[in-house]
Each structure stands twice: as structure tokens, then as C-alpha cells.
Amino acid sequence: MSIYKKERFGIARKIVSNMTSESWEQIPHSSLSYEADVTDLLEECKKLNEWCEDKSKKITVNTLIIKIICEGLKAAPKMNCTLKFRRRLVQGTLKYHDNIDITMPMILHSGEMMTVNMHDMGNKTLTEMTDAINDTVRRANNSDMNEVMYEVSLDNTLNGLKRGKLIQTIARLYGAKMPGKHKVTTLSGSRKRKYYSIPEEDRLTKHDIEPGTTTITNLGSVYKEQKGSCFLLEIIPPQTTAFAINAIQRKPIAFTDEFGEERIEIRSVLPITIAIDHRSLDYGDIVPCLRKFDEIFDNPSVIQNWK
């Protein structure tokens, strides 16, 4: 077998690979797909942007679905918990959170993928959510990803040391800074001073990268031609849920028209994948979330009150 290229992990890939490995080693995942008929919702979304001339201020379908997921989490607050579980002693504690902080992958202008924490999205209007996302993109594009990721990695490593994980801490520090091909390169000298002279409100910090209370991934924005839906979706500990927004697809759907008659029509369908940590959640726990989804997608004019 011939090898034509070798690509070693950078700091971002190291963090992702470590977190996802920890996820699948520790968490018993269970998942389902919710198929939303968004035909009428898309028309309501157009109304939200009727008088908006600034493209950057327009409310996107992505932002709207994030808001709907937040409403679902409010209806099922157990899904917005984080879990502390000690396997050896079989001791588990769920922590309920007032805010819905969303871990969200974001593609930057450089083509790099960055996972950010959108804080307190559950209490924001659609306009406030749009502004928050735009501001995060702006700050991310001013940021050096290696620097931000290294801050996060170092913080995670030191927290591991506080929890008594001495061997793991030493191994991570050695793996990151050992001389050789796998060494993580960060800024130094005048370049470092220049970078850290940028005010924190104009760049990302570890506060923007720390884990949220749930994760929402928008696969549909990456590949709009997607057919079907995501099935395997990792949950990042200590979170207990994760969502994937798939691409909108045209499908034949049975529905009830305005005259109360059932008929089949080609409609716009958006699959939403939901993964849960089965240590803390059963399927019955997510039913209130699904019912809230039903309520919103069946009566999409409600979104006009969220602007």
C-alpha cells in the first residue's frame, strides 16, 4: 500500500479527536430523527425579513431552527443538563442550567472549522441571536485559532491536574510541546504581543470556546444537497444532548389541508437528529421537546412573536 501524503494533527484537530474519543468511550449514545414539515415555516421566515435590506441582519433558517430547538429545551429542561458520573462508584449527578449555551461548529473565512459557545441563546430574540452569531463570526475572523485552542487545551489540562489526573496531564503537556513533528506551534515574541494587544471584545477567548450545555451542528449549511439524515452524532461530555440540523429536502408528505382533508403533496422536510446520553435520559424525557416541536411546526406563525 503506497502512501502519497502524511497530515499530522494541529491543535484544533487534537482537541476534537480527544473530546470525541472521550465521548464514545464514556457515553452510551441513543438517537432518533425528527422530520419537520417546514413548508409553511419557510414562508413565515420570509415575512420576518420582508423589510430588512441589510443582508447581514436577515434572520436565517439556521438561526430560526436553533431558536426552535431552544424552545424545545425549555419544554424539556432535563435535556439541557450536564452530567457528573463516577462509573466506579455508580454515582451520578445532573446539573440543571438556567441558560441554554450552545456549542456550535462554525466555518471561518480561512476555511478552518471552529467550535464556539453561543452563550444564553435561550433568552434571546431572533434579532439578538442573529447579532450574536454575526459578532462571533467577526471576532473569530480576527483570532488566531492556534492561540485560542491552546488556551482552551491548557485550561482543560490544568483542570485535569486539579482532579488528580497527573499522568494524563504530563502526557498532554509533553504531547503538545515536545520537540519534533507533533509539537504545537503558538505565537511568540512581537507577533504574540501584537496579537494579545487586540481587545478581547474583538477576538475570541477561551470563554467563547468552553463547552456549552448542548451542541447543535448544522450539516445542511455545509452540504445543502444532502439526502437523508445524520445517524451518529457525538455528545461532548459533560453535555447530555446533541442536535444535528440536516438539509431541507423535498419529499411526498401526507398532511391535512385547510378543509380538513388528508392528501399527499411534495413538501419541504427538515430532519433534525437528536442524540441523548442514556445514562441520564430516557426517550420519555424528550417527549416534551418533541411536542413543542410539533406545536411550532404545526403553527409556524408563532415565530413572528420571536423577532
Side-chain angles (χ1 to χ4, degrees):
M1 183 186 298
S2 62
I3 298 172
Y4 72 95
K5 183 181 178 180
K6 284 186 178 180
E7 183 176 296
R8 292 180 175 84
F9 284 2
I11 182 66
R13 199 73 245 163
K14 285 186 176 186
I15 290 175
V16 170
S17 62
N18 181 67
M19 292 177 71
T20 52
S21 295
E22 186 177 345
S23 169
W24 290 105
E25 287 169 0
Q26 295 183 5
I27 298 176
H29 288 65
S30 190
S31 64
L32 76 155
S33 180
Y34 177 95
E35 291 199 343
D37 181 347
V38 295
T39 309
D40 298 332
L41 183 82
L42 295 177
E43 292 302 315
E44 293 293 337
C45 188
K46 288 179 183 178
K47 294 178 186 178
L48 290 172
N49 295 310
E50 275 181 339
W51 309 108
C52 183
E53 296 182 359
D54 186 345
K55 188 176 179 180
S56 68
K57 298 290 185 180
K58 287 184 180 291
I59 295 165
T60 65
V61 175
N62 177 54
T63 302
L64 183 53
I65 299 301
I66 291 173
K67 175 66 173 174
I68 291 172
I69 291 173
C70 286
E71 293 302 307
L73 291 173
K74 290 179 189 177
K78 195 173 182 181
M79 296 179 69
N80 192 50
C81 285
T82 52
L83 172 66
K84 181 179 180 181
F85 184 73
R86 301 175 70 183
R87 176 76 182 274
R88 186 171 296 175
L89 299 177
V90 198
Q91 294 177 344
T93 303
L94 279 177
K95 298 178 181 179
Y96 287 73
H97 301 276
D98 292 330
N99 294 344
I100 298 173
D101 296 337
I102 296 173
T103 300
M104 188 172 77
M106 181 178 290
I107 297 178
L108 309 180
H109 65 87
S110 62
E112 293 178 284
M113 193 278 290
M114 187 75 176
T115 301
V116 297
N117 184 337
M118 302 302 303
H119 291 272
D120 196 20
M121 293 297 265
N123 292 320
K124 287 181 168 61
T125 65
L126 288 168
T127 300
E128 289 169 340
M129 292 173 75
T130 299
D131 291 342
I133 292 170
N134 288 340
D135 184 63
T136 300
V137 171
R138 176 188 67 83
R139 291 185 294 117
N141 287 331
N142 290 333
S143 302
D144 184 292
M145 293 300 101
N146 279 354
E147 282 298 312
V148 182
M149 289 293 197
Y150 185 69
E151 283 183 33
V152 174
S153 179
L154 184 59
D155 189 59
N156 289 342
T157 300
L158 294 178
N159 283 334
L161 182 59
K162 290 177 184 177
R163 296 194 301 268
K165 298 181 179 180
L166 178 62
I167 295 176
Q168 182 189 77
T169 301
I170 295 172
R172 284 186 178 182
L173 290 172
Y174 180 73
K177 285 301 185 180
M178 64 179 287
K181 299 174 182 178
H182 294 277
K183 180 180 178 179
V184 174
T185 303
T186 52
L187 298 176
S188 60
S190 60
R191 292 178 63 203
K192 185 170 185 175
R193 289 192 295 273
K194 182 179 179 181
Y195 175 71
Y196 283 100
S197 70
I198 300 172
E200 288 193 353
E201 59 266 25
D202 291 327
R203 58 180 171 84
L204 298 182
T205 67
K206 64 182 181 181
H207 175 68
D208 300 294
I209 311 298
E210 65 188 9
T213 57
T214 191
T215 295
I216 301 178
T217 300
N218 190 348
L219 298 176
S221 67
V222 177
Y223 183 44
K224 292 181 179 179
E225 297 79 14
Q226 176 198 7
K227 302 294 187 293
S229 59
C230 162
F231 291 104
L232 290 176
L233 183 65
E234 68 268 10
I235 300 163
I236 304 303
Q239 297 173 11
T240 57
T241 55
F243 298 81
I245 303 171
N246 297 275
I248 296 173
Q249 301 157 41
R250 298 288 285 170
K251 292 184 178 183
I253 294 292
F255 78 107
T256 304
D257 64 20
E258 64 271 24
F259 305 108
E261 297 291 330
E262 282 196 342
R263 58 194 180 92
I264 295 176
E265 185 178 290
I266 302 298
R267 310 273 289 179
S268 295
V269 175
L270 175 66
I272 300 173
T273 307
I274 307 171
I276 62 172
D277 183 337
H278 221 327
R279 294 175 301 179
S280 58
L281 290 160
D282 297 314
Y283 278 118
D285 295 315
I286 69 174
V287 168
C289 175
L290 302 180
R291 292 196 190 282
K292 177 57 72 172
F293 286 175
D294 291 342
E295 179 185 322
I296 295 168
F297 290 116
D298 289 344
N299 302 280
S301 61
V302 69
I303 71 172
Q304 303 303 328
N305 300 325
W306 298 347
K307 190 172 181 182

